[in-house]
């Protein structure tokens, strides 16, 4: 007699236990027939999992369950609470929407008549049809797949459906291609990017013309591939556009063609030849940040006491050379300066190192205050320092919106005496700033260790940007 789980949570535990059993099995010791059976079963399991997840996520979205964790969408909640990438979250939410637009495809996933990848392809195809033809077309394509047709044959079958629909409803079709347009830019390791998208014919023609014009071989010595020349042509097109002054302002400042790291405002870390190349024609604004190193206070007090004693002895015996004058006193003064820098720049004297080594010379020019008490607005110096430190939205529940899409938030509201300083301000995206904190009443604090903590108005939910402390042992 089989065991029936008493709840959805118990059923999930059983599923995970079964998969854990398979993961622990030594697949290499199993016969090929068993391996093949498990592979077929795992594909069916993947299809069923997709359908089940879509059902739960659809209900979760309708009930706005994500708002309980101060997230602004189910996609954001998936990224922050389940630890998946933006692309995976987009795929999950797309399937959640398909429970309403493609119910027969989702049902076929549950019964094992269709794999997830074929189901996704069918949904993308029939999304281009008028809505009244969609369900029937889904059913025909599913039946054709069950009869053994491959992807190419299914595509040919759909092409016939598409042409038939165009002939019946010529006025409804042109907007379909326009609605499918989209471009996705994802940042990967060390700031490198992956650009994908679906372009309308007009956009494709324009992009092609620009790239062809800017990606022509530069001469006999130009050994770049066509793909490399197109990449460089795209970069040149964007650089010229940013330099033209035609782009709207962002965060109240003109858009610049950032290339070196600027605290997350669309920049990336550069070194070697790339850094040297961009530095030839770049405006640099060095910002030195750091934290107080309390451990250096004791040394600073001891050294100052010793200097005071030397000065006293020097006045008493002004006509006699001694420890109160000469190299000994100079060395002590240098040690005091070093201890003071350590105190104000954190462990290791980071700010001192940057000032003396990183820029090749002492910093010159006027300095900007980073703590000005009360202010009606956030000065550029403080804004730039906060951007450099935070780089993205610092919401405790996780967000990741870049600095260019964020606003500076006072952790204590200005109306309540909040100071305008680097230590009292954080970056928050528009949603977490304007909606979550100022409308929903959440409170966000910046902890001394740089992490953030947030809680809702009635303190029933607490979020931390850091994980729990490690368990002993």
């Amino acid at each position: 007699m089989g065991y029936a789980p008493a709840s959805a949570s118990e059923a999930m535990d059983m599923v995970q236990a079964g998969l854990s059993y398979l993961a622990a099995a030594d697949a290499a010791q199993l016969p090929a027939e068993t391996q093949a059976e498990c592979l077929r079963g795992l594909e069916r399991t993947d299809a069923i999992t997709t359908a089940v997840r879509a059902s739960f996520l659809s209900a979760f979205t309708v009930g706005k369950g994500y708002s309980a964790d101060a997230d602004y969408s189910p996609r954001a909640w998936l990224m922050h609470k389940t630890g998946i990438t933006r692309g995976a979250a987009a795929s999950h939410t797309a399937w959640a929407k398909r429970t309403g637009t493609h119910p027969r495809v989702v049902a076929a996933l549950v019964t094992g008549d269709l794999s997830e990848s074929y189901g996704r392809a069918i949904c993308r195809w029939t999304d281009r049809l008028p809505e009244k033809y969609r369900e029937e077309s889904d059913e025909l394509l599913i039946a054709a797949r069950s009869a053994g047709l491959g992807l190419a044959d299914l595509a040919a079958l759909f092409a016939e459906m598409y042409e038939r629909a165009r002939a019946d409803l010529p006025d409804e079709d042109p907007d379909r291609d326009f609605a499918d347009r989209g471009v996705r830019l994802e940042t990967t390791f060390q700031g490198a990017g992956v650009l994908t998208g679906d372009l309308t014919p007009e956009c494709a023609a324009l992009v092609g013309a620009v790239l062809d014009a800017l990606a022509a071989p530069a001469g006999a010595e130009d050994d770049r591939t066509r793909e490399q020349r197109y990449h460089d042509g795209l970069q040149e097109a964007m650089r010229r556009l940013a330099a033209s002054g035609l782009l709207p302002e962002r965060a109240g400042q003109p858009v610049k063609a950032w290339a070196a790291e600027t605290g997350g405002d669309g920049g990336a870390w550069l070194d070697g030849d790339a850094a040297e190349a961009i530095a030839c024609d770049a405006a640099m604004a060095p910002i030195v940040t750091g934290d107080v190193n309390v451990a250096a206070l004791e040394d600073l007090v001891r050294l100052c006491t010793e200097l005071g004693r030397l000065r006293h002895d020097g006045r008493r015996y002004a006509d006699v050379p001694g420890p109160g004058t000469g190299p000994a006193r100079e060395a002590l003064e240098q040690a005091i300066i070093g201890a003071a820098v350590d105190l104000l720049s954190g462990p290791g004297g980071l700010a001192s190192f940057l000032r003396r080594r990183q820029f090749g010379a002492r910093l010159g020019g006027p300095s900007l205050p980073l703590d000005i008490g009360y202010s009606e607005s956030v000065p550029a110096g403080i804004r730039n320092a906060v951007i450099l430190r935070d780089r993205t939205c610092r919401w405790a529940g996780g967000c990741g919106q870049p600095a260019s899409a964020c606003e500076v938030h006072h952790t204590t509201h200005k109306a309540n005496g909040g100071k305008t300083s680097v230590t009292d301000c954080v970056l928050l995206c528009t949603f977490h700033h304007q909606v979550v904190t100022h409308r929903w009443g959440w409170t966000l604090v910046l902890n001394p260790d740089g992490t953030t903590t947030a809680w809702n108005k009635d303190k029933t939910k607490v979020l931390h940007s850091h994980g729990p402390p490690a368990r002993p042992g």
Side-chain angles (χ1 to χ4, degrees):
M1 182 176 178
Y3 173 75
S7 66
S9 297
E10 191 172 348
M12 180 61 67
D13 291 340
M14 293 176 61
V15 171
Q16 293 176 348
L19 292 175
S20 297
Y21 174 82
L22 291 177
D26 187 356
Q29 300 302 317
L30 299 176
E33 181 179 353
T34 302
Q35 294 171 350
E37 181 183 356
C38 287
L39 290 173
R40 289 190 294 267
L42 288 171
E43 287 302 324
R44 290 192 296 270
T45 300
D46 186 50
I48 296 172
T49 300
T50 297
V52 173
R53 183 194 296 113
S55 175
F56 273 81
L57 184 56
S58 177
F60 186 74
T61 301
V62 171
K64 295 186 177 180
Y66 51 86
S67 63
D69 289 314
D71 272 307
Y72 49 84
S73 69
R75 181 184 300 185
W77 186 91
L78 287 169
M79 293 167 56
H80 305 145
K81 303 306 177 187
T82 67
I84 61 177
T85 65
R86 183 182 299 275
S91 177
H92 292 349
T93 53
W95 273 113
K97 293 177 182 177
R98 290 169 187 149
T99 59
T101 57
H102 299 274
R104 299 201 178 188
V105 173
V106 175
L109 296 179
V110 175
T111 59
D113 294 333
L114 197 65
S115 68
E116 188 275 339
S117 55
Y118 268 88
R120 184 172 65 252
I122 290 174
C123 290
R124 287 179 174 174
W125 289 338
T126 57
D127 276 339
R128 304 181 65 185
L129 298 175
E131 186 176 352
K132 66 178 183 179
Y133 294 139
R134 193 173 297 153
E135 188 169 351
E136 180 183 1
S137 299
D138 283 346
E139 186 174 6
L140 291 173
L141 290 170
I142 293 169
R145 173 56 191 158
S146 299
L149 267 64
L151 194 63
D153 293 331
L154 290 176
L157 177 59
F158 171 73
E160 295 180 11
M161 298 177 181
Y162 183 70
E163 290 300 322
R164 193 175 300 118
R166 289 185 62 181
D168 292 343
L169 297 168
D171 295 334
E172 289 190 30
D173 185 65
D175 290 339
R176 300 279 169 187
D177 289 336
F178 186 71
D180 288 339
R181 73 195 188 283
V183 171
R184 294 168 293 279
L185 175 62
E186 297 185 16
T187 303
T188 59
F189 181 64
Q190 291 185 333
V194 177
L195 181 67
T196 58
D198 297 303
L199 309 182
T200 62
E202 298 86 351
C203 182
L206 183 58
V207 171
V210 171
L211 293 182
D212 286 340
L214 296 177
E221 70 281 1
D222 189 350
D223 59 356
R224 296 174 297 171
T225 65
R226 181 175 181 272
E227 289 74 16
Q228 290 171 337
R229 287 189 283 107
Y230 262 46
H231 169 278
D232 297 347
L234 176 62
Q235 179 176 330
E236 177 64 13
M238 296 298 101
R239 188 195 68 80
R240 294 188 184 189
L241 179 60
S244 68
L246 298 176
L247 295 176
E249 292 183 346
R250 292 171 64 182
Q253 299 185 21
V255 174
K256 299 178 181 179
W258 295 106
E261 173 63 35
T262 61
D265 191 15
W269 288 105
L270 295 180
D271 56 17
D273 294 340
E276 291 182 5
I278 199 64
C280 288
D281 183 21
M284 295 188 187
I287 298 176
V288 177
T289 62
D291 301 315
V292 173
N293 179 14
V294 180
L297 180 60
E298 185 177 347
D299 287 340
L300 179 60
V301 172
R302 178 181 56 80
L303 291 170
C304 289
T305 301
E306 186 174 349
L307 178 61
R309 182 180 60 79
L310 288 178
R311 285 181 173 176
H312 177 71
D313 291 344
R315 286 193 298 270
R316 290 178 57 191
Y317 306 104
D319 57 340
V320 180
T325 61
R329 176 172 170 172
E330 292 180 2
L332 186 56
E333 290 175 344
Q334 290 297 320
I336 290 174
I337 293 173
V341 171
D342 283 346
L343 176 67
L344 298 177
S345 64
L350 174 61
S352 176
F353 175 83
L354 290 176
R355 291 177 65 89
R356 290 182 291 107
R357 305 286 182 84
Q358 204 66 358
F359 303 120
R362 291 183 178 273
L363 295 182
S367 298
L368 296 176
L370 297 183
D371 188 340
I372 62 173
Y374 180 82
S375 173
E376 289 292 341
S377 61
V378 181
I382 293 178
R383 181 182 299 276
N384 290 339
V386 172
I387 289 174
L388 178 67
R389 181 196 65 197
D390 292 348
R391 303 186 182 179
T392 63
C393 174
R394 294 296 306 279
W395 182 249
C399 179
Q401 289 287 337
S404 57
C406 292
E407 301 167 344
V408 176
H409 167 66
H410 291 73
T411 53
T412 299
H413 197 276
K414 291 187 295 183
N416 299 325
K419 294 182 178 180
T420 301
S421 68
V422 174
T423 56
D424 294 292
C425 294
V426 294
L427 281 185
L428 289 179
C429 68
T430 302
F431 171 75
H432 285 118
H433 184 208
Q434 301 291 345
V435 178
V436 176
T437 61
H438 288 292
R439 292 185 180 272
W440 292 357
W442 282 68
T443 298
L444 178 82
V445 296
L446 181 63
N447 301 314
D449 61 356
T451 61
T452 54
T453 302
W455 54 85
N456 60 358
K457 196 170 185 178
D458 55 6
K459 297 185 178 180
T460 58
K461 176 84 69 171
V462 180
L463 305 176
H464 301 280
S465 66
H466 54 284
R471 294 182 178 178

